[in-house]
Amino acid sequence: MPFWLLAQTEKVDLEMIYKIKQEGMNNSKVEDLAFVMTDLSGPRLTGSTGFTRGSEWAKKKMEEFGFQNVRIEATRDFNRGGWDNLKTYAAMTAPYYCNFACNPVAWTGSTNGLIKSEVVIVDVKSEADLDKYKGTLKDKIVLLPSTTTYEISFEPLASRYTDEQLKALTTESGSPRGRRPRQPFDIAAIMAQRQLRAKTTELMKSEGVAVILNSSGTYNIPRSNGAGYNSGDPEPIAELNLPMEDHGRMERLIRKDVPVEMEIEIQNKFFPSPQVYNVIGEIPGTDKVLKNEVVLIGAHLDSWHGGTGAADNASGCIVMMEALRILKALNVAPKRTIRVALWGGEEQGLNGSRGYVEKYLVDPETNENKPDFDRFAAYFNMDNGSGRYRGIYLQQNEMVRPIFEEWLKPFESLGCSTIAIRNTGGTDHQSFDRYGLPAFQFIQDEIEYGRGYHTMMDTYERLVIADLRINAIITASLAYNAAMRDQKLPRKPEMRPRSESGQRPPMF
Ligand SMILES: [Zn+2]
């Protein structure tokens, strides 16, 4: 073998991998962390009291595990401000009584105590439709017509990747789960729809509507989302997401001229939200020079407010904290610093991780690198639900493939060895990847993710504890390898100077 090939061979400390597996399997704290991060912390909407509670619990656990430099760190202003839901009750009272599970839309307002009123449909298909509702909506409960149709599903509720699907993932494009490709967006139609919705909202506001009702999602579980609200704006009308079946029942009754009445009480609190916060802890590096370099592992701590954000993304926080705990318990002396970061504000635009980049890596004003940019070794992110790692996405960084091939070898028997060249998006690794930094997200079994995330059913029950244990072991191993490697992981070359365009590179 020629020398240069030998020199490229990755060294993996298999004794250490053995120890990591033993610690992760026999002394796992995943179950305890799962309880703390879901049931005990509760929902963790960005800017809410729940988020503060969750970040304090995470900090406490990190301190208990003996991490160092543990801190809750402010990163960015949060334009929406603080919002807490204090009370939600909704029931149909005519033609007969039936209570509904429901979830208020975040950053919307309250009812004036317990109200009882007629439910009316406001069906606006064009601006001309607005006129016919003028003068008719005072104190009414407005039901906006369904936008989705329920389809009976013959698919299993949960799934794992098959070998064929994993293989399909290794090609540059394609749809691994055999789904229909997404329809291209019709931007003009979306904009027109938005404008019409804004005008409808304006009319409802001026009319004095009491509550707005939405059908939520394709399943019988209210989905959580938030209003387009900026701190200081007037409070939007109280708004509820209802299960599509309850919403559908009332819509059908009203369309058949059966009068429908509801009683509703919603109490929400708006307050100035200081900032977006991240929770950070670390095992400091021990090499004289390399200790200033950072291997980062992370997940987002914030969630939507309906459930307890278990799969999305307490699961990732549990795995990342457990990964660092395993290394700490083994008393490793990594050359580089290994840092865990739990991000705030991911759901409203990756605020926590982007704030971290702005604070430590790239000056947001000048687009110039900060000194830590060169000391950034790698980032590993988990945010695809509770499912087991099946491999990793390269984000098109072919240079790391031979390294990851070696690093994942000890986990082949656990089914985690697929390496996909493609990009995967939608979460915090993008904040780093957009600057060419080596930042990666794992391929994970879907389990019930597509059905449950952002809904009221994203609770402890969605967690697959056995999978989370394995994910923590793999994360700990990869982080350890990255911290011990002679060189940092290879980066993508920058194709054009950032300052030339005066803009940041695009997000993928
Ligand atoms: Zn998420």
Side-chain angles (χ1 to χ4, degrees):
M1 203 181 273
F3 171 75
W4 60 270
L5 261 183
L6 263 180
Q8 281 190 341
T9 305
E10 281 296 309
K11 285 175 283 181
V12 177
D13 181 349
L14 290 174
E15 267 183 37
M16 181 55 78
I17 305 294
Y18 172 84
K19 288 187 198 165
I20 289 172
K21 280 185 179 172
Q22 293 303 311
E23 176 64 28
M25 284 300 180
N26 301 329
N27 299 321
S28 174
K29 294 287 180 285
V30 161
E31 250 181 294
D32 172 48
L33 281 170
F35 168 70
V36 170
M37 296 315 295
T38 61
D39 295 337
L40 207 51
S41 293
R44 302 172 303 282
L45 183 74
T46 307
S48 72
T49 307
F51 182 85
T52 308
R53 189 170 51 234
S55 48
E56 277 159 7
W57 272 116
K59 177 169 178 270
K60 208 168 157 185
K61 292 314 281 186
M62 288 190 193
E63 283 164 348
E64 214 178 286
F65 292 154
F67 303 169
Q68 291 184 41
N69 302 321
V70 176
R71 59 201 189 265
I72 298 174
E73 192 171 88
T75 64
R76 257 190 174 190
D77 291 334
F78 188 53
N79 58 354
R80 300 201 190 201
W83 182 88
D84 278 348
N85 175 235
L86 304 178
K87 188 169 187 180
T88 310
Y89 163 71
M92 185 171 78
T93 48
Y96 47 85
Y97 182 87
C98 181
N99 78 310
F100 297 143
C102 56
N103 199 217
V105 175
W107 297 287
T108 60
S110 308
T111 57
N112 187 10
L114 178 69
I115 60 137
K116 192 168 186 169
S117 183
E118 191 193 349
V119 184
V120 297
I121 294 176
V122 169
D123 192 357
V124 178
K125 294 206 170 67
S126 70
E127 269 196 69
D129 289 339
L130 290 169
D131 283 343
K132 65 181 180 211
Y133 296 107
K134 275 188 187 143
T136 69
L137 299 178
K138 174 113 187 90
D139 295 332
K140 292 282 174 10
I141 296 167
V142 165
L143 183 138
L144 297 175
S146 307
T147 51
T148 45
T149 314
Y150 182 76
E151 281 174 37
I152 289 173
S153 168
F154 294 92
E155 301 294 318
L157 290 182
S159 66
R160 290 194 185 276
Y161 277 115
T162 63
D163 290 346
E164 295 77 56
Q165 287 170 334
L166 285 170
K167 191 153 187 289
L169 263 181
T170 62
T171 60
E172 294 259 353
S173 59
S175 183
R177 292 177 203 276
R179 284 188 190 140
R180 271 172 284 148
R182 268 198 208 160
Q183 295 296 317
F185 290 116
D186 181 347
I187 302 286
I190 291 171
M191 291 308 287
Q193 198 56 41
R194 262 193 210 159
Q195 273 178 7
L196 195 59
R197 172 76 209 249
K199 288 206 167 120
T200 311
T201 307
E202 224 170 86
L203 171 78
M204 292 191 287
K205 188 98 193 168
S206 65
E207 288 277 313
V209 162
V211 183
I212 300 170
L213 305 175
N214 296 302
S215 168
S216 120
T218 351
Y219 299 99
N220 52 350
I221 327 125
R223 207 159 264 275
S224 304
N225 52 15
Y229 171 82
N230 281 314
S231 187
D233 287 354
E235 285 186 19
I237 303 170
E239 192 168 335
L240 279 183
N241 285 331
L242 289 176
M244 78 173 313
E245 292 86 345
D246 303 332
H247 180 279
R249 186 194 324 185
M250 291 195 288
E251 186 175 347
R252 288 186 294 272
L253 285 166
I254 296 166
R255 288 198 191 277
K256 296 275 186 199
D257 296 321
V258 180
V260 173
E261 222 174 55
M262 283 182 82
E263 57 181 20
I264 301 179
E265 182 168 6
I266 307 168
Q267 223 179 302
N268 291 323
K269 191 170 123 191
F270 287 79
F271 52 94
S273 151
Q275 272 173 307
V276 173
Y277 295 94
N278 298 326
V279 187
I280 294 176
E282 63 196 33
I283 300 177
T286 54
D287 181 272
K288 244 193 313 189
V289 181
L290 297 183
K291 68 178 182 194
N292 294 318
E293 298 183 355
V294 175
V295 174
L296 194 61
I297 59 176
H300 69 90
L301 180 64
D302 67 302
S303 74
W304 285 106
H305 53 293
T308 52
D312 189 17
N313 187 3
S315 63
C317 298
I318 294 161
V319 162
M320 295 302 155
M321 284 194 277
E322 169 71 357
L324 204 65
R325 184 203 68 79
I326 292 171
L327 295 174
K328 180 72 199 170
L330 293 173
N331 254 321
V332 296
K335 290 180 185 165
R336 297 185 177 83
T337 295
I338 306 177
R339 179 176 294 164
V340 61
L342 308 183
W343 313 115
E346 190 270 353
E347 297 289 2
Q348 291 78 33
L350 316 184
N351 286 286
S353 55
R354 291 170 79 170
Y356 180 95
V357 170
E358 289 161 5
K359 197 174 175 110
Y360 294 107
L361 306 175
V362 180
D363 188 307
E365 304 299 324
T366 63
N367 253 320
E368 300 295 328
N369 293 343
K370 295 190 170 184
D372 281 348
F373 188 88
D374 289 330
R375 302 185 195 121
F376 185 90
Y379 176 60
F380 296 103
N381 189 70
M382 172 176 151
D383 188 19
N384 276 334
S386 180
R388 186 191 290 202
Y389 289 171
R390 304 303 303 275
I392 196 160
Y393 295 100
L394 293 183
Q395 299 298 127
Q396 303 192 329
N397 180 345
E398 194 64 63
M399 293 77 76
V400 293
R401 182 193 294 274
I403 302 164
F404 285 168
E405 275 174 356
E406 291 305 314
W407 288 8
L408 289 180
K409 264 186 191 157
F411 305 106
E412 251 174 46
S413 57
L414 291 171
C416 179
S417 56
T418 299
I419 294 177
I421 181 70
R422 63 176 72 183
N423 286 322
T424 183
T427 185
D428 293 299
H429 64 294
Q430 290 176 294
S431 304
F432 305 90
D433 180 59
R434 70 197 298 213
Y435 292 105
L437 293 167
F440 307 96
Q441 159 100 335
F442 293 94
I443 300 166
Q444 290 177 255
D445 281 332
E446 175 150 342
I447 313 293
E448 298 178 319
Y449 194 57
R451 190 166 84 101
Y453 79 109
H454 296 187
T455 74
M456 284 171 72
M457 66 175 249
D458 190 7
T459 57
Y460 185 95
E461 286 72 14
R462 305 282 88 70
L463 298 176
V464 185
I465 299 292
D467 284 14
L468 297 181
R469 258 183 218 137
I470 289 168
N471 294 359
I473 287 168
I474 297 172
T475 307
S477 305
L478 266 55
Y480 182 76
N481 294 341
M484 298 305 279
R485 198 170 185 270
D486 291 339
Q487 304 291 321
K488 294 191 291 282
L489 285 182
R491 300 172 177 202
K492 296 187 214 176
E494 272 194 54
M495 301 289 284
R496 63 186 160 86
R498 259 179 262 154
S499 46
E500 208 169 77
S501 62
Q503 283 180 347
R504 294 175 213 192
M507 297 273 273
F508 291 105

